[in-house]
Amino acid sequence: MTSPRKHLVKDFNHFITCYVCKGYLIKPTTVTECLHTFCKSCIVQHFEDSNDCPKCGIQVHETNPLEMLRLDNTLEEIIFKLVPGLREKEQQQEIEFWRSRKWKENGEEDGPRSKRSRLDDDDDGAGDGDYHRSDPQIAICLDCLRNSSLVGENIVKGLMKKFIRCSTRVTVGTIKKFLSLKLKLPSSYELDVLCNGEIMGKDHTMEFIYMTRWRLRGETAYPMVLEYRPRIDFG
């Protein structure tokens, strides 16, 4: 009786490589209109010059194709399990990228590991978890967007400590939970989080917003400013 054939990584290359760069998918990101998947950096860069899918040519969105992207965390985990050492390599490259591109601009020579803090501040108590401390970190300013005509303006106030540092992988949804906790908002109360006047989706990560929405660069780029306000229902 013959033993089952062992599959090699190259047998799955068609499913785990990027059509644009031909390398393994890094932070696999799927276009929701056609379900084709690319490296996040590849597809974001492609959409700077085109609104069409690079593989099938379908128009993804008339004006803002970036809104039609979704990260595929499950596929990312599968790829990391299939390709030995890929996760560690990419994590190291990501840390070096953030160190060279941003932290030195901010005068922090030790890079993203120099000053770590939990998203919910030290006064909430330290836990046993990692809290993404090993991730590249980003500095954020959370500003309350004042508008006396907005319903709920009286309970949405500015933070006493509006500057935070968190993982670049933190999502807008987590920022909203953080704000609700700090502002002691009712559980049913909803906020909008904006960058440069544009409402951010709850699944957007801080890295994604910095690379695609935050317009400032160089010495004026830090910290990245996010604004929050009571949610406006346009329906």
Side-chain angles (χ1 to χ4, degrees), residues 52-230:
D52 301 336
C53 171
K55 187 170 185 178
C56 67
I58 188 175
Q59 185 181 66
V60 176
H61 193 278
E62 290 184 359
T63 58
N64 192 5
L66 293 174
E67 293 295 331
M68 312 306 291
L69 299 179
R70 296 294 181 271
L71 285 171
D72 192 335
N73 294 321
T74 301
L75 179 57
E76 181 180 47
E77 286 302 315
I78 291 174
I79 294 172
F80 283 151
K81 290 182 183 297
L82 284 174
V83 185
L86 183 63
R87 184 197 301 270
E88 293 75 14
K89 178 183 176 182
E90 289 304 317
Q91 287 177 341
Q92 185 59 37
Q93 288 182 348
E94 186 176 7
I95 289 171
E96 292 174 357
F97 169 82
W98 284 93
R99 179 183 291 124
S100 61
R101 286 286 300 272
K102 295 196 286 262
W103 297 105
K104 287 186 178 180
E105 289 177 1
N106 201 36
E108 297 179 15
E109 299 297 334
D110 293 335
R113 296 172 180 266
S114 58
K115 297 179 181 177
R116 299 169 183 165
S117 63
R118 287 180 53 187
L119 182 61
D120 54 356
D121 295 335
D122 293 337
D123 57 352
D124 287 334
D128 296 328
D130 179 71
Y131 298 106
H132 295 282
R133 287 191 176 104
S134 60
D135 290 349
Q137 306 284 295
I138 186 169
I140 299 172
C141 174
L142 296 172
D143 268 346
C144 181
L145 189 59
R146 304 287 183 179
N147 188 333
S148 58
S149 65
L150 289 178
V151 176
E153 179 71 19
N154 58 329
I155 66 171
V156 177
K157 307 294 184 181
L159 294 169
M160 290 185 63
K161 297 180 180 179
K162 63 180 182 178
F163 295 97
I164 66 171
R165 179 163 297 171
C166 62
S167 166
T168 57
R169 299 182 184 183
V170 163
T171 65
V172 170
T174 301
I175 294 294
K176 288 182 178 181
K177 291 178 182 178
F178 169 75
L179 288 169
S180 295
L181 176 66
K182 289 299 180 183
L183 299 173
K184 296 181 170 59
L185 300 177
S187 58
S188 59
Y189 198 88
E190 296 193 43
L191 297 169
D192 284 333
V193 172
L194 303 88
C195 182
N196 291 323
E198 180 182 352
I199 296 176
M200 299 290 99
K202 67 180 181 64
D203 295 324
H204 286 359
T205 64
M206 296 302 101
E207 178 188 20
F208 180 83
I209 294 172
Y210 182 87
M211 299 301 291
T212 65
R213 296 298 193 273
W214 185 234
R215 296 173 187 149
L216 299 181
R217 289 293 182 266
E219 294 181 357
T220 60
Y222 260 59
M224 181 172 72
V225 178
L226 298 180
E227 297 175 312
Y228 60 93
R229 69 183 183 196

Side-chain angles (χ1 to χ4, degrees), residues 3-16:
S3 59
R5 175 178 175 266
K6 291 185 178 180
H7 290 281
L8 303 176
V9 173
K10 66 179 182 180
D11 295 333
F12 302 96
N13 278 352
H14 176 73
F15 305 101
I16 62 175

